[in-house]
Amino acid sequence: MISIKSEREIELLEHAGHIVYLTHCYLKPYIKAGITTKELDKLAHDFIISQGATPSFLGYDGFPASICTSINEEVVHGIPSNRKLKNGDIISLDIGACYKGYHGDSAWTYAVGEVDKSLKYLMEHTEKSLFVGLKEIKPGNHIGDIGAAILEYAEAHKLGVVKELVGHGVGTDVHEEPDVPNYGVRGTGPLLKEGMVIAVEPMLTLGSPDIVILDDGWTIETEDYQASAHYEHTVVVTSDGVKILTGGKNG
Ligand code: MG
Ligand code: MG
């Protein structure tokens, strides 16, 4: 069942979302050559705790860290390790925080130093595809409208859309119904209603969108080793559109 959140629940989800936003802001200056993803994980963990929240992903299905750190060809669910970031890498940080039982979930891809033109293009248009999807959200539209818009945008920019991984509802569970795919047919799928809270999260690739899962049981990367980017916001459907809960003032 897709739940409709009460005003009080939306306030708590907004608070959780704001902590996720602040965690991204806090980590950004540390994303430099030489830092390990484990160090980023520790910084994120301690910051989330300092905000009176807990990291949503720590222990989720046995995930061994507080955030997901996915570098270059890694799409999602990269496990923080002793790997050091290098200039020219891109890294996707997927961060979840739970505040008083309610979650926020947001991913962003960052450049490490100066990156290749093609990576800048991938990042720019994956981020834009997220906002193209969010534009479709208002009561009366369908989940399929979001994915259709993201897919059309990605295809127009010659980028691949990972189809096996999807967005989701967010509430007292970090992953709730409905699925929010990054592809779809307009006018199909669950109807969007005021008070629904969902995470929209396009994962786009420079090459083929085919993915493989590594032996660690978590890390998902592109089959052709070409780069992937990931942008995600948790949002609430409002009476006339959408409000981003993980975006801060600048969206
Ligand atoms: Mg996420
Ligand atoms: Mg998510």
Side-chain angles (χ1 to χ4, degrees):
M1 215 192 68
I2 304 171
S3 65
I4 301 295
K5 271 67 180 184
S6 69
E7 224 167 280
R8 182 186 158 270
E9 288 183 297
I10 290 167
E11 269 173 35
L12 292 170
L13 286 158
E14 189 159 21
H15 196 106
H18 189 63
I19 292 169
V20 172
Y21 167 74
L22 292 176
T23 311
H24 274 285
C25 296
Y26 174 71
L27 290 180
K28 201 175 171 188
Y30 291 100
I31 301 170
K32 285 193 177 128
I35 195 163
T36 68
T37 49
K38 218 176 200 167
E39 287 168 323
L40 289 174
D41 181 64
K42 168 91 172 107
L43 287 164
H45 174 273
D46 293 351
F47 183 81
I48 291 168
I49 299 289
S50 79
Q51 299 297 305
T54 52
S56 303
F57 304 145
L58 183 60
Y60 184 92
D61 277 348
F63 188 75
S66 294
I67 61 171
C68 304
T69 55
S70 308
I71 300 172
N72 299 334
E73 72 279 2
E74 295 171 355
V75 181
V76 287
H77 305 164
I79 300 174
S81 71
N82 291 323
R83 177 171 174 180
K84 285 184 178 167
L85 296 184
K86 295 197 305 281
N87 276 322
D89 284 341
I90 60 170
I91 180 169
S92 302
L93 300 182
D94 197 348
I95 302 175
C98 181
Y99 178 75
K100 293 190 176 169
Y102 288 83
H103 295 270
D105 186 10
S106 172
W108 217 253
T109 302
Y110 300 92
V112 182
E114 193 57 33
V115 302
D116 192 77
K117 240 167 69 182
S118 64
L119 295 176
K120 279 187 190 159
Y121 178 90
L122 171 70
M123 291 170 68
E124 178 190 342
H125 292 295
T126 307
E127 182 180 348
K128 283 190 176 153
S129 79
L130 167 61
F131 289 94
V132 162
L134 295 182
K135 257 193 169 163
E136 298 292 323
I137 301 179
K138 62 178 177 193
N141 275 10
H142 292 259
I143 289 287
D145 296 328
I146 303 169
I150 291 172
L151 184 68
E152 279 163 21
Y153 185 88
E155 285 181 343
H157 291 85
K158 306 270 184 285
L159 295 170
V161 174
V162 174
K163 305 221 173 43
E164 293 87 342
L165 301 153
V166 297
H168 49 89
V170 182
T172 50
D173 276 314
V174 67
H175 296 128
E176 295 187 351
E177 285 181 53
D179 281 353
V180 184
N182 298 305
Y183 59 92
V185 176
R186 286 178 195 279
T188 67
L191 196 61
L192 295 168
K193 293 180 186 159
E194 184 178 356
M196 280 174 54
V197 175
I198 56 174
V200 179
E201 48 179 315
M203 289 146 261
L204 305 190
T205 62
L206 270 183
S208 155
D210 293 339
I211 54 171
V212 292
I213 182 157
L214 300 192
D215 289 343
D216 64 20
W218 282 104
T219 312
I220 289 176
E221 63 180 38
T222 56
E223 200 170 37
D224 62 7
Y225 295 108
Q226 292 225 54
S228 172
H230 181 205
Y231 290 81
E232 172 184 33
H233 272 315
T234 301
V235 304
V236 58
V237 183
T238 62
S239 59
D240 61 350
V242 64
K243 182 177 180 188
I244 295 171
L245 302 180
T246 46
K249 285 196 184 92
N250 300 321

